[in-house]
Each structure stands twice: as structure tokens, then as C-alpha cells.
């Protein structure tokens, strides 16, 4: 039996890699990306074609090297980790085996193994186009939400075991026909190969959906815990601030009583200053939204006791359309992250945090800025957590992004000069007619 042309195999492997580059993200864009893909295709095709005439003993090592080229292609130009590149490489290889085997089986049945004319190229384009377009559609429809979920080495190992098993069983007939799992005729061999590759592709796809759902469910539970903790923190802060407000209210009455009972000029001037401070305190914590007032006052009291300068220019009334827990999530996490960083600065004059909430042409812009000397690493548009276990941290920013997306807005972070900036842009609801 004539085996699949090596050039066809190289093209299938390259197409599969390009497909998974689209799903996992790329480091390059535009012409640079396509130039890199072209070079990868030339290398893959040249290697497989030049090694096509080697003895059967070199077949497995050559296939291993071909898979290695696929892995390097995904690792160098993809946006994931080595484990993620390996995971996608396994899926790409099994999918490429399916596409090549299916195309060659149809080719041999309708055209014969010796046909190399325009009909052969047309059939190649149709079958490859159908296989990879169908897989791309499935990836977008069922797996888009989990594409960004990090792959662990254990998950890569599980997928590698599946991939090796599929490749071994599907190609066993080429090594020996004297087993219960092989065929003796070309038609049987092609059927076994195509059906096993189809089953392997389905198993890996189902495994991908399952791991994505499990990881996203775990992340959702963690985000929910963050939301609940922020709400509990808000409730505790509200109780504390209510107590402070009552004390200040009582103090105002005491000042009035003292003014009536004792009226030395020095005492009067002192009491006037105290009243002025009380008015300043009240003005600083009246943004027009009681939830925002509570969060800012609570964090402000903490900052004042830790030599942190917190300045606010906030129109809280713009956030009246938001849920209480959503406001707690944004302000609680943003201020906690800023406070946590500036507390590490030795020079207290650099412990600066600035918060603004303002209207911007039909949108409300929430801006949280803090002085920052370090250059953070970014992954997926968010800074990488500096805490020990990244798997259990970093959910504060993710929960804020979730709230922004739920409200139809966006969250962006950037480092500009010596300032770390977190901005959330939300559309204002249309006024009722």
C-alpha cells in the first residue's frame, strides 16, 4: 500500500498548528506572524520529504522529530506556557493525523493512490479545509471561554498519554499485521487508522472541554469568594463608620454646649478649629453614593494610620446604577492592591494613591492610580501576581474585570512612568424616556 505523501502530512501538521495558534493566541501579529508560519511550513515539509526514503527503523524517530518541530512552532510563536504548547501540540498532531488519513483514504477510493493531478489537489484542499474548519468552529463554540485557562504539566501528561496511545494503535498495522488490532489489506489499514484518529480527536476534545469547565468552575468559585469577602468587609466597615459618625455627631453637641457654658477667646478659637475639621471630614466622605462613601472612608482611615496619602475626586452618584457588591468588588480590590504595594515603599512621601470617578461622554470612568517603581509582568492583559502561589491569587483583578464585562465595560491596566494605572470604563445607562 502506498503511504500518505509526506508533503500532505507536513501540510496537515502545519495547518493544525496554525489552528491552535489562533485559539491560544500569538506573540506576533500581521506580516511577521505569516512570515514565521511560512518558514515553519518550509522546515516541516523539507524535513518530512527528505526523510521519506529512510528505512522503517527511522520512521518513529523521524515522526518524533516532526512532533518536536510542531512543539517548537507553538512554543516560540504561541502565547502560552511550555505545558500549554505541549498540550496544544498533542491535539494538533492527532488532528493532523486524522486529516491526512481521511484525505488519503478518500483519495485512494475515488482517484487511486497514483493520482497526482489537479483533482488530487482539489480533493486535498476540500478535505483539509472541511476538517480544520469544522474543528475551528467547534473550538470557538464550545471552548472559547476556556482557551486562556493555564495548562498544568499533569494535564499535558494526560493528553500526551492519549496522543501516544492513539498514534500507536492507528499505525500498528504499518509495523506488524500479526496482531489482533491490525489489518492485512490496505482498505482495512486505512479504516483502522482513520477511525482511531477520529476517536482520539474526539477524546482529546472532550477532555479539553472537561478540564476547561472544571478550571473555570474553580475560578468562578474563587471569584465568588472574593465578592463575598468584599461584601462582608463593606458591612463591617459600614458598622465602624456609623459608630464614628455617631461619635462625631455627639461631639458637635458637646461643642455647642461648651460654647454656651464657657466662652474664653482661646477656647472658642479651639472649638472653631474642631468644627472645621469635622466639616472637612463630612465633606470628604460625601460622594453621593453611600456605598462608595463607606469604602473610601474605611480605606482612608487605614491609609491615614499607615502614612499613606489617599486623594479622591469621586462623583459617586454616577455609580447608582451598579449593584452594591459590584461597587464593593471594584473599590475594595483596587484599593487593597494599591495599599498593599505602596506599603512596601520605604519613603512615605511616595506612598500615594489617587482615585477618580468622572463622566466621559456617555461613560463613567473609574481610575485608580498608585505610585509604582517596579515594572510588573503582564499575562492576558493583567499583571501577574507577585504572591507565592499564582494558582490561588490574582483573582482580585479577574473579579474586577468580570464586573466590568458584566456591566458592558472594559478594564485596562498599564504602567506609565512611575504610576500604576487601573482604569474601568462603563457605559452609563440611558435615561428613561
Amino acid at each position: 500500500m502506498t503511504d500518505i505523501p509526506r508533503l500532505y502530512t507536513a501540510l496537515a501538521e502545519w495547518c493544525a498548528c496554525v489552528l491552535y495558534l489562533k485559539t491560544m493566541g500569538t506573540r506576533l501579529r500581521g506580516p511577521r506572524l505569516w512570515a514565521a508560519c511560512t518558514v515553519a511550513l518550509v522546515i516541516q515539509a523539507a524535513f518530512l520529504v527528505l526523510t521519506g526514503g529512510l528505512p522503517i527503523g527511522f520512521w518513529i524517530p523521524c515522526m518524533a522529530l516532526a512532533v518536536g518541530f510542531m512543539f517548537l512552532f507553538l512554543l516560540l510563536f504561541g502565547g502560552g506556557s511550555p505545558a500549554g504548547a505541549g498540550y496544544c501540540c498533542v491535539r494538533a498532531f492527532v488532528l493532523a493525523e486524522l486529516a491526512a488519513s481521511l484525505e488519503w483514504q478518500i483519495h485512494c477510493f475515488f482517484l487511486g493512490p497514483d493520482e497526482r493531478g489537479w483533482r488530487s489537489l482539489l480533493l486535498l484542499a476540500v478535505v483539509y479545509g472541511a476538517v480544520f474548519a469544522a474543528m475551528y468552529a467547534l473550538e470557538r463554540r464550545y471552548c472559547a471561554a476556556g482557551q486562556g485557562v493555564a495548562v498544568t504539566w499533569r494535564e499535558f501528561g494526560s493528553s500526551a498519554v492519549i496522543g501516544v496511545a492513539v498514534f500507536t494503535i492507528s499505525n500498528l498495522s504499518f509495523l506488524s499485521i500479526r496482531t489482533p488490532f491490525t489489518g492485512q489489506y490496505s482498505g482495512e489499514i486505512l479504516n483502522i487508522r482513520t477511525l482511531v484518529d477520529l476517536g482520539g480527536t474526539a477524546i482529546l476534545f472532550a477532555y479539553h472541554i472537561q478540564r476547561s469547565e472544571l478550571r473555570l468552575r474553580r475560578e468562578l468559585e474563587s471569584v465568588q469568594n472574593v465578592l463575598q469577602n468584599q461584601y462582608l468587609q463593606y458591612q463591617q466597615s459600614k458598622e465602624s463608620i456609623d459608630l464614628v459618625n455617631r461619635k462625631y455627631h455627639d461631639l458637635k453637641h458637646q461643642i455647642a454646649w461648651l460654647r454656651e457654658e464657657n466662652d474664653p477667646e482661646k477656647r472658642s478659637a479651639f472649638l472653631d478649629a474642631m468644627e472645621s475639621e469635622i466639616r472637612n471630614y463630612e465633606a470628604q466622605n460625601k460622594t453621593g453614593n453611600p456605598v462608595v462613601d463607606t469604602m473610601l472612608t474605611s480605606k482612608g482611615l487605614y491609609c491615614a494610620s499607615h502614612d499613606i496619602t489617599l486623594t479622591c475626586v469621586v462623583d459617586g452618584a454616577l455609580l447608582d446604577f451598579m449593584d452594591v457588591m459590584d461597587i464593593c468588588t471594584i473599590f475594595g480590590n483596587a484599593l487593597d492592591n494599591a495599599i498593599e504595594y505602596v506599603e512596601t515603599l520605604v519613603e512615605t512621601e511616595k506612598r500615594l494613591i489617587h482615585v477618580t470617578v468622572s463622566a466621559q461622554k456617555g461613560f463613567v470612568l473609574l481610575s485608580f492610580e498608585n505610585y509604582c517603581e517596579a515594572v510588573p509582568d503582564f499575562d492576558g492583559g493583567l499583571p501577574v501576581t507577585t504572591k507565592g502561589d499564582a494558582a490561588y491569587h490574582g483573582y482580585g483583578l479577574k473579579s474586577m474585570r468580570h464586573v466590568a464585562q458584566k456591566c458592558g465595560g472594559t478594564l485596562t491596566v498599564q504602567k506609565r512612568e512611575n504610576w500604576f494605572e487601573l482604569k474601568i470604563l462603563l457605559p452609563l445607562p440611558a435615561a428613561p424616556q
Side-chain angles (χ1 to χ4, degrees):
M1 182 187 68
T2 304
D3 196 9
I4 302 172
R6 308 278 278 190
L7 185 61
Y8 289 11
T9 301
L11 182 61
E13 292 172 352
W14 180 81
C15 289
C17 286
V18 172
L19 185 151
Y20 284 103
L21 275 181
K22 291 284 292 181
T23 60
M24 68 188 293
T26 58
R27 302 180 191 275
L28 303 177
R29 295 289 187 274
R32 295 177 61 190
L33 173 62
W34 288 111
C37 290
T38 302
V39 171
L41 175 59
V42 171
I43 294 174
Q44 194 82 2
F47 174 76
L48 287 179
V49 171
L50 292 175
T51 58
L54 295 178
I56 189 66
F58 291 92
W59 177 52
I60 297 298
C62 288
M63 290 303 298
L65 284 174
V67 174
F69 288 142
M70 295 174 67
F71 170 74
L72 288 176
F73 181 30
L74 294 169
L75 179 63
L76 294 176
F77 306 121
S81 62
Y87 177 79
C88 289
C89 178
V90 173
R91 299 188 66 205
F93 177 69
V94 175
L95 178 62
E97 287 284 294
L98 171 63
S101 178
L102 177 62
E103 191 281 333
W104 190 241
Q105 185 171 6
I106 297 174
H107 181 112
C108 291
F109 184 84
F110 288 104
L111 304 180
D114 298 326
E115 173 67 34
R116 292 294 188 275
W118 66 269
R119 293 189 302 171
S120 173
L121 295 177
L122 178 62
L123 180 64
L124 179 72
V126 170
V127 174
Y128 278 18
V131 170
F132 293 115
M135 179 54 71
Y136 184 68
L138 289 173
E139 291 282 339
R140 285 179 58 86
R141 180 171 182 179
Y142 295 105
C143 306
Q147 292 297 348
V149 178
V151 178
T152 65
W153 286 107
R154 183 175 181 178
E155 291 168 339
F156 161 67
S158 299
S159 66
V161 170
I162 297 173
V164 170
V166 170
F167 178 76
T168 301
I169 296 174
S170 65
N171 290 278
L172 194 60
S173 297
F174 292 93
L175 299 177
S176 173
I177 61 174
R178 301 182 183 278
T179 71
F181 309 104
T182 56
Q184 299 183 6
Y185 302 100
S186 60
E188 294 177 352
I189 294 174
L190 288 175
N191 284 336
I192 292 173
R193 186 175 188 176
T194 302
L195 292 175
V196 171
D197 288 337
L198 177 61
T201 301
I203 291 171
L204 285 171
F205 184 75
Y207 176 70
H208 180 68
I209 292 178
Q210 183 184 43
R211 63 166 287 276
S212 298
E213 289 180 349
L214 289 174
R215 295 290 293 273
L216 289 175
R217 188 178 301 123
R218 173 182 166 186
E219 182 171 323
L220 183 61
E221 290 173 355
S222 299
V223 170
Q224 189 63 36
N225 288 335
V226 171
L227 297 177
Q228 188 64 30
N229 289 336
Q230 289 294 339
Y231 184 71
L232 292 176
Q233 183 180 6
Y234 160 71
Q235 294 283 26
Q236 294 170 358
S237 300
K238 187 175 185 300
E239 293 175 2
S240 300
I241 292 169
D242 286 344
L243 176 61
V244 172
N245 286 333
R246 287 197 299 270
K247 294 297 182 182
Y248 270 94
H249 184 72
D250 294 341
L251 184 59
K252 287 164 56 176
H253 288 291
Q254 293 170 6
I255 292 172
W257 179 80
L258 289 172
R259 189 185 298 276
E260 293 178 359
E261 294 297 323
N262 200 344
D263 196 23
E265 292 184 1
K266 188 174 181 180
R267 178 69 61 85
S268 179
F270 178 75
L271 293 177
D272 289 340
M274 292 180 62
E275 278 189 315
S276 177
E277 291 180 2
I278 292 174
R279 284 194 296 270
N280 290 335
Y281 168 81
E282 290 179 334
Q284 289 174 1
N285 297 278
K286 299 299 180 182
T287 67
N289 185 296
V291 182
V292 177
D293 295 346
T294 299
M295 297 300 296
L296 291 179
T297 302
S298 173
K299 302 301 181 184
L301 293 172
Y302 181 89
C303 289
S305 62
H306 290 79
D307 296 322
I308 299 172
T309 302
L310 172 63
T311 58
C312 305
V313 180
V314 175
D315 184 355
L318 294 171
L319 305 179
D320 287 344
F321 68 94
M322 294 183 64
D323 182 75
V324 171
M325 289 190 66
D326 291 342
I327 296 175
C328 294
T329 297
I330 290 177
F331 279 83
N333 283 299
L335 290 172
D336 283 345
N337 289 343
I339 291 170
E340 182 178 353
Y341 176 80
V342 298
E343 278 187 312
T344 64
L345 300 176
V346 177
E347 302 173 68
T348 56
E349 62 271 15
K350 293 183 178 180
R351 296 180 179 180
L352 306 174
I353 301 174
H354 185 59
V355 181
T356 60
V357 176
S358 59
Q360 301 281 339
K361 297 182 179 179
F363 292 83
V364 56
L365 175 65
L366 296 85
S367 176
F368 300 86
E369 304 175 359
N370 63 271
Y371 189 86
C372 180
E373 295 178 337
V375 179
D377 295 324
F378 288 86
D379 181 19
L382 297 179
V384 178
T385 179
T386 56
K387 298 179 181 178
D389 189 352
Y392 294 95
H393 296 291
Y395 287 112
L397 281 167
K398 291 180 181 179
S399 64
M400 285 188 284
R401 183 170 63 181
H402 171 73
V403 170
Q405 292 174 345
K406 184 180 74 171
C407 296
T410 59
L411 179 148
T412 58
V413 292
Q414 65 175 348
K415 170 75 161 47
R416 183 175 57 85
E417 296 179 352
N418 286 330
W419 288 89
F420 180 83
E421 300 177 347
L422 185 152
K423 297 183 183 296
I424 299 175
L425 191 65
L426 305 176
L428 286 169
Q433 300 293 330

